[in-house]
């Protein structure tokens, strides 16, 4: 927003001026800020935006939920639930994009207990675990395009790895996600699949393959401008470097 200076009894003050901006450019700016790790700034930008059209309000609320999810994953906040509920209220009907927010939120909720990262099924409700897996399968089967099928496959791999502790079951969905991301031109999906496949390569003793995949994932994250992801990838690159002496 821009400011206007107004004089009131000799005092000059700056007030925000109402303006019109291109809606798609605003959403793109919020997405860029989120990739940079500036989630608070992205949410302030979205919260300061008003839309008259119901469809635009729904898209704005969805964008807020997606930014909140990134903040929760990388920043340890707990913002997604409230914003996802608001997005559901604003949506005029079923929203497949919002459906993709919920599994990651639920996965994070089960992984993080009292601020502590706790992978595996121990101490978790078996019905909740089964429910989140069913949700991801439903997303994959009902996905309208290949990239979203790949995203759902990625979730299935993460769920198997992190919630069920089933390392043998996760590489296949990661490979499906990798193929979908490469076919659909989604660098961030390719990055995510590569970094987890690299983990499996490392665990299997194939350090050269792990390094290759992690380096490519790092390059893709850098190209997309994903600052928090770049920092985590640099830590992962240090592991095979250490293993090579």
């Amino acid at each position: 927003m821009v400011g206007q200076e107004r004089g009131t009894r000799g005092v000059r003050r700056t007030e925000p001026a109402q303006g019109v901006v291109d809606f798609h450019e605003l959403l793109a700016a919020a997405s860029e800020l989120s990739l940079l790790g500036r989630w608070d700034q992205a949410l302030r930008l979205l919260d300061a935006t008003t839309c008259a059209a119901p469809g635009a309000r729904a898209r704005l609320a969805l964008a807020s939920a997606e930014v909140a999810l990134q903040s929760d994953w990388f920043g340890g906040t707990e913002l997604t639930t409230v914003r996802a509920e608001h997005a559901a209220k604003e949506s005029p009907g079923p929203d497949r994009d919002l459906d993709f927010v919920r599994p990651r939120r639920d996965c994070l909720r089960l992984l993080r207990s009292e601020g502590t990262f706790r992978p595996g099924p121990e101490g978790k409700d078996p019905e909740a675990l089964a429910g989140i897996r069913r949700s991801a399968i439903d997303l994959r089967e009902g996905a309208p395009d290949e990239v979203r099928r790949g995203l759902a496959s990625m979730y299935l791999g993460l769920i198997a790895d992190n919630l069920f502790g089933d390392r043998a079951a996760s590489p296949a969905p990661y490979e499906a996600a990798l193929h979908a991301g490469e076919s659909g031109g989604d660098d961030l999906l390719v990055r995510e699949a590569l970094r987890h496949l690299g983990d499996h390569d490392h665990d299997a003793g194939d350090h050269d393959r792990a390094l290759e995949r992690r380096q490519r994932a790092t390059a893709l994250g850098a190209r997309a401008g994903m600052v928090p992801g770049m920092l985590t990838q640099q830590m992962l690159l240090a592991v095979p470097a250490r293993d090579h002496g």
Side-chain angles (χ1 to χ4, degrees), residues 32-71:
E32 290 289 333
L33 288 169
S34 183
L35 283 174
L36 290 169
R38 297 178 179 176
W39 307 292
D40 288 346
Q41 190 173 353
L43 290 173
R44 287 198 303 270
L45 175 64
L46 294 170
D47 289 344
T49 304
T50 57
C51 304
R57 289 201 305 270
R59 184 64 191 88
L60 190 69
L62 172 63
S64 295
E66 290 171 339
V67 172
L69 181 62
Q70 291 299 308
S71 177

Side-chain angles (χ1 to χ4, degrees), residues 2-3 17 27 41 52 55 62 89 93 130 135 148 154 181 183 185 207 210 214:
V2 297
L27 293 180
Q41 190 173 353
L62 172 63
K89 291 177 182 177
S135 295
R148 288 176 184 168
M154 190 71 221
S183 299
H207 301 306
R214 286 171 172 172

